[in-house]
Amino acid sequence: MSTIQGKVVIIMGASSGIGEATTKKLAEEGANLVIAARREDRLKALVDSLPNAEISYAVADVSKREEVQAVVDLAFEKYGRVDVLYNNAGIMPTAPLAETRFDEWRQMLDINIMGVLNGIAAVLPIMKHQQSGHIISTDSVAGHVVYPGSAVYCGTKFAVRAIMEGLRQEERENNIRSTIISPGLVDTELYTTVNEPENRERLKNNAQIEGVGLKLSDVADAVAYAISTPETVAISEILIRPTKQVV
């Protein structure tokens, strides 16, 4: 029997990419899933594609605290507990700082950082009460290194890394684990959030080159591994790159 079977898992940002792949992986492992994202049509299609899974969905924008809270409330009302929250939603518009793209900066802060904090805030009271839980966030190699054109994006991912380590230190006595999953280049739709055409095409092509970009299932497997470990084992970080990636 899988150690994931029967666990109550919330996945934010589940409608595509890593979130969708992780939903499918954990459904195979027998988790009780509550998934959320902004695109209802994609969520419904994903649920319909998993007829044998124990799965519910809700529409939510992670930058809106009350919508994230509603997702957590749905999971708790249905199952009476929450074992895992996976903060996966994120965007990656990239451009040099000199272009002063204030709206993009604000959007990244709201989704990449506040989205994670909104998830933590919503689920932490439940996990503290039950004296167990696991909070996972998608970070990035960009949370470990900085490169030109991505200073703000890297800044948001460095912030997630710091927040999740702070969470670990503050809540370890409550048996609450924290994990960041830091993928390198992955073949996802994340490049579509890049508004600058040349950068967008470059990222798309790099991710899709044979033998370079990680498969979505590679990252989903890493998430499943972190969840499957015993409660006495805290996997703080998983940094996962394609073998041929330089950065």
Side-chain angles (χ1 to χ4, degrees):
M1 179 184 295
S2 168
T3 55
I4 295 173
Q5 186 168 351
K7 285 192 173 183
V8 179
V9 181
I10 300 170
I11 302 177
M12 308 300 296
S15 62
S16 64
I18 292 169
E20 180 182 9
T22 302
T23 297
K24 292 176 179 177
K25 173 66 176 179
L26 298 185
E28 290 175 5
E29 298 288 334
N32 298 322
L33 294 165
V34 175
I35 63 173
R38 291 178 293 182
R39 296 176 290 184
E40 184 171 14
D41 58 332
R42 299 286 290 267
L43 290 171
K44 187 176 186 307
L46 179 54
V47 170
D48 290 345
S49 73
L50 299 167
N52 298 319
E54 177 61 35
I55 184 170
S56 305
Y57 76 85
V59 177
D61 179 340
V62 297
S63 69
K64 300 185 186 310
R65 183 174 58 187
E66 65 279 4
E67 294 185 12
V68 176
Q69 185 66 59
V71 176
V72 173
D73 290 346
L74 171 65
F76 186 72
E77 288 164 9
K78 184 166 186 178
Y79 297 107
R81 63 183 296 108
V82 176
D83 297 305
V84 181
L85 168 68
Y86 182 21
N87 293 307
N88 175 64
I91 60 171
M92 190 182 64
T94 57
L97 290 168
E99 293 187 10
T100 59
R101 298 192 179 194
F102 292 102
D103 290 343
E104 289 184 359
W105 295 349
R106 173 58 61 187
Q107 192 178 26
M108 272 194 281
L109 293 171
D110 286 345
I111 294 174
N112 294 3
I113 300 176
M114 288 308 302
V116 169
L117 289 169
N118 289 338
I120 292 171
V123 81
L124 207 49
I126 294 170
M127 291 183 173
K128 290 180 75 168
H129 178 75
Q130 64 194 24
Q131 286 291 288
S132 68
H134 193 172
I135 299 174
I136 304 172
S137 294
T138 299
D139 200 66
S140 172
V141 167
H144 300 257
V145 298
V146 180
Y147 42 90
S150 297
V152 179
Y153 177 69
C154 293
T156 66
K157 292 304 184 178
F158 268 78
V160 169
R161 187 175 162 203
I163 289 164
M164 292 295 288
E165 170 59 14
L167 174 67
R168 182 194 71 78
Q169 293 181 21
E170 291 177 11
E171 298 299 335
R172 59 188 176 80
E173 293 295 341
N174 290 315
N175 203 37
I176 296 170
R177 300 184 290 166
S178 73
T179 302
I180 59 170
I181 308 292
S182 296
L185 201 60
V186 187
D187 186 6
T188 74
E189 295 179 11
L190 192 59
Y191 69 85
T192 64
T193 67
V194 177
N195 293 322
E196 202 283 314
E198 187 176 331
N199 280 345
R200 181 170 63 244
E201 195 62 24
R202 176 179 56 80
L203 288 167
K204 176 183 177 181
N205 291 338
N206 284 348
Q208 293 177 347
I209 292 172
E210 178 99 21
V212 175
L214 293 168
K215 295 183 293 184
L216 294 169
S217 59
D218 296 329
V219 186
D221 287 346
V223 177
Y225 167 71
I227 293 172
S228 70
T229 56
E231 286 194 358
T232 52
V233 177
I235 305 296
S236 299
E237 299 184 11
I238 297 180
L239 180 56
I240 174 173
R241 290 181 174 96
T243 301
K244 295 184 179 180
Q245 181 170 330
V246 176
V247 178

